[in-house]
């Protein structure tokens, strides 16, 4: 939960509000029990009290309790909205597998809402409400306070044990969903090829396998949730029962407490344990959200710990190894140096070209070390062959929420021959794209994706088959733009196109995880 908690402190006002609202709410709960106890005691024992004042104060207290609980919830929702907005901006700037990007932007980021909307507000409530009740009862009826101190720790101990398991299961669920979404999207993209090579049965079988894996992880989380709810209810009921037994004996047998004292204690006991129990339920939600938070944190931090930056204008690999869980692919680069330049990365399908590009970009896990030119730190972008178009405006899809100069965006759109197409849309650059908005062709989506790179160019740009499945006009526009891009940065292009490969002065050939570099001087480095 450290990652999500750290993000919340970007909005310190929310923690101040949580503190003030929770403290006030806890005092209101104690006052409510005291005033209701007076009314019940007066009715049953016919004591004289100021009924208008007491009943009026109870109404005000009940109204205030509802208001402060609602304000706590609204504060949590507002904090959640702000943090999710920040995460969407950060994630959208990361180059990654399109399935993973869309999954993180939607499912992953929405998954952290439970931490801010439910867990944090309840954590503050569960600190101040039990603490206020304990302080009050220490002076009002110390025996009940002592029982609460002894029995209360069992609840947090139990939900910490359950919560740790929940976080692990949530992380596994998110990973399985990433695998499922990536594979399913790849199948949809290559459906014609799959049908042409009669691969439908195998593809359907793998989709079903990923779906079943995701379902199993989801059911394990639900099973844990039901178990934790049952046990928390049992512990709470048992603890309240012990207090009720003690109060009953003191009132009836030993006659050591008044009826008024008994009523107030019995009203405060459920409030005390419900606050802890609700934290247990919220802790389960928070741990589930923390699983999503770990995925988001990993996506944002990447592989920096395996990459060392120095002053050499080259990229060198030292015992770099990449393996997949399936075990059907392995990339092993013992020692290799690539001088910074423009390259075409080539090789047969499945040879590991995209994996090599993701290793360079820090987008996939690898063992070993890579030494890079210091100017490349946070200065590499990898553009996948699948274009991630957000359900947002054209201008936000191009700028990815960064600050921009509109004239530069228009000039870039004209260069990519997209300006006229955009201006023909209902709201121009403010037109919403996506399944609920304007639809784009494959070439248009690719040009939008490339415009992001050109608008905020990095020192090293890696393009994964930028012209695949495009018409001749789109290919020419993109390749002309790439030639222009080479004037400002180093460009590596993954390509199958024979013409692109023959016109390249520098080649990186990938063959089943083995890498060969051939430069214009015909020097080959293995």
């Amino acid at each position: 939960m450290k990652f999500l908690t750290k993000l919340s402190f970007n909005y310190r006002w929310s923690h101040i509000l949580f503190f003030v609202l929770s403290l006030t709410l806890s005092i209101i709960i104690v006052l409510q029990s005291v005033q209701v106890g007076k009314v019940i005691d007066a009715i049953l024992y016919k004591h004289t009290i100021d009924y208008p004042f007491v009943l009026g104060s109870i109404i005000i207290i009940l109204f205030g309790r509802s208001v402060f609980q609602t304000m706590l919830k609204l504060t949590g929702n507002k904090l959640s909205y702000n943090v999710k907005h920040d995460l969407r901006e950060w994630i959208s700037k990361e180059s990654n597998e399109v399935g993973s990007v869309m999954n993180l932007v939607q499912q992953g980021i929405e998954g952290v809402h439970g931490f801010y909307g439910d867990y944090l507000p309840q954590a503050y409530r569960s600190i101040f409400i039990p603490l206020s009740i304990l302080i009050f009862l220490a002076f009002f009826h110390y025996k009940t306070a002592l029982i609460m101190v002894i029995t209360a720790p069992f609840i947090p101990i139990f939900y910490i044990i359950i919560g740790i398991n929940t976080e692990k299961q949530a992380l596994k669920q998110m990973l399985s969903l990433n695998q499922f979404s990536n594979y399913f999207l790849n199948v949809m993209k290559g459906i014609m090829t799959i049908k042409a090579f009669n691969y439908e049965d195998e593809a359907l079988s793998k989709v079903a396998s990923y779906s079943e894996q995701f379902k199993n992880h989801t059911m394990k989380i639900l099973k844990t949730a039901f178990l934790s709810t049952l046990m928390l209810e049992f512990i709470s009921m048992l603890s309240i029962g012990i207090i009720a037994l003690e109060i009953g004996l003191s009132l009836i047998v030993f006659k050591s407490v008044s009826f008024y004292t008994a009523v107030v204690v019995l009203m405060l006991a459920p409030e005390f344990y419900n606050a802890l129990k609700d934290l247990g339920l919220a802790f389960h939600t928070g741990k589930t959200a923390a699983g999503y938070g770990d995925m988001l944190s990993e996506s944002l931090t990447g592989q920096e710990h395996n990459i060392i930056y120095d002053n050499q204008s080259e990229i060198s690999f030292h015992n770099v190894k990449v393996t997949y869980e399936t075990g059907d692919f392995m990339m092993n680069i013992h020692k290799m140096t690539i001088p910074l330049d423009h390259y075409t990365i080539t090789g047969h399908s499945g040879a590991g070209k995209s994996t090599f590009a993701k290793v360079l970009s820090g987008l996939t896990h690898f063992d070993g070390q890579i030494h890079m030119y210091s100017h490349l730190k946070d200065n590499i972008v990898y553009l996948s062959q699948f274009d991630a178009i957000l359900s947002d405006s054209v201008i936000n899809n191009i700028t990815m929420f960064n600050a921009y100069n509109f004239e530069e965006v228009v000039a870039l759109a004209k260069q990519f021959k997209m300006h006229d197409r955009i201006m023909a849309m209902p709201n121009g650059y403010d037109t919403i794209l996506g399944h609920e908005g304007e639809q784009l062709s494959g070439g248009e989506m690719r040009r939008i994706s490339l415009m992001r790179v050109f608008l905020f160019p990095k020192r090293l740009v890696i393009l994964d088959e930028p012209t695949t499945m495009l018409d001749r006009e789109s290919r020419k526009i993109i390749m002309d733009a790439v030639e222009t891009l080479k004037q400002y940065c180093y460009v590596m292009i993954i390509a199958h196109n024979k013409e692109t490969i023959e016109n390249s002065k520098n080649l990186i050939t990938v063959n089943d995880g083995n890498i060969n570099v051939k430069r214009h001087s015909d020097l080959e480095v293995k």
Side-chain angles (χ1 to χ4, degrees), residues 208-399:
S209 175
Y210 282 126
S211 176
E212 184 69 18
Q213 185 182 46
F214 174 65
K215 184 193 76 173
N216 290 338
H217 286 307
T218 302
M219 294 305 296
K220 285 180 181 178
I221 291 178
L222 292 175
K223 179 181 177 181
T224 303
F226 288 127
L227 175 64
S228 62
T229 302
L230 175 65
M231 291 305 298
L232 287 171
E233 289 287 351
F234 174 75
I235 295 172
S236 299
M237 289 172 58
L238 185 62
S239 301
I240 294 171
I242 293 172
I243 291 174
L245 178 63
E246 188 275 329
I247 286 293
L249 291 173
S250 299
L251 178 66
I252 300 170
V253 178
F254 300 107
K255 302 184 186 301
S256 58
V257 297
S258 66
F259 182 77
Y260 166 68
T261 302
V263 171
V264 173
V265 168
L266 290 177
M267 289 189 67
L268 286 174
E271 297 283 2
F272 179 87
Y273 289 104
N274 281 340
L276 294 176
K277 181 184 68 177
D278 291 343
L279 179 61
L281 300 176
F283 189 79
H284 171 84
T285 303
K287 275 296 184 180
T288 302
Y292 290 111
D294 289 343
M295 288 290 297
L296 293 167
S297 176
E298 183 179 337
S299 175
L300 291 169
T301 55
Q303 284 283 325
E304 288 294 319
H305 58 285
N306 282 9
I307 299 176
I308 298 173
Y309 296 94
D310 52 36
N311 294 322
Q312 300 297 317
S313 58
E314 59 188 19
I315 303 172
S316 58
F317 298 78
H318 301 273
N319 299 317
V320 172
K321 185 176 181 181
V322 181
T323 55
Y324 291 140
E325 291 182 1
T326 56
D328 55 2
F329 176 82
M330 182 177 72
M331 177 175 286
N332 197 342
I333 309 173
H334 178 61
K335 190 173 183 180
M336 182 179 72
T337 300
I338 302 177
L340 283 177
D341 207 337
H342 307 303
Y343 289 90
T344 297
I345 304 173
T346 184
H348 63 81
S349 296
K353 301 183 298 298
S354 295
T355 299
F356 177 70
K358 290 173 191 172
V359 168
L360 282 176
S361 309
L363 297 177
T364 193
H365 178 78
F366 62 87
D367 298 318
Q369 285 188 342
I370 296 178
H371 291 250
M372 284 192 180
Y373 190 31
S374 57
H375 290 182
L376 295 181
K377 186 173 183 180
D378 299 323
N379 219 356
I380 301 176
V381 61
Y382 167 71
L383 189 63
S384 168
Q385 58 185 297
F386 304 117
D387 305 294
I389 299 297
L390 305 178
S391 294
D392 211 311
S393 65
V394 174
I395 192 70
N396 283 342
N397 266 283
I398 295 172
T399 63

Side-chain angles (χ1 to χ4, degrees), residues 498-518:
K498 185 178 180 181
E499 183 181 354
T500 304
I501 296 172
E502 289 178 349
N503 291 334
S504 177
K505 293 182 179 180
N506 305 309
L507 288 176
I508 297 176
T509 304
V510 184
N511 183 18
D512 296 329
N514 299 310
I515 314 296
N516 287 315
V517 180
K518 187 177 292 185

Side-chain angles (χ1 to χ4, degrees), residues 412-428:
L412 196 59
K414 289 179 178 178
Q415 179 185 347
F416 278 88
K417 294 181 170 52
M418 281 293 292
H419 179 69
D420 292 340
R421 170 73 174 95
I422 294 170
M423 295 307 296
M425 295 179 185
N427 297 309

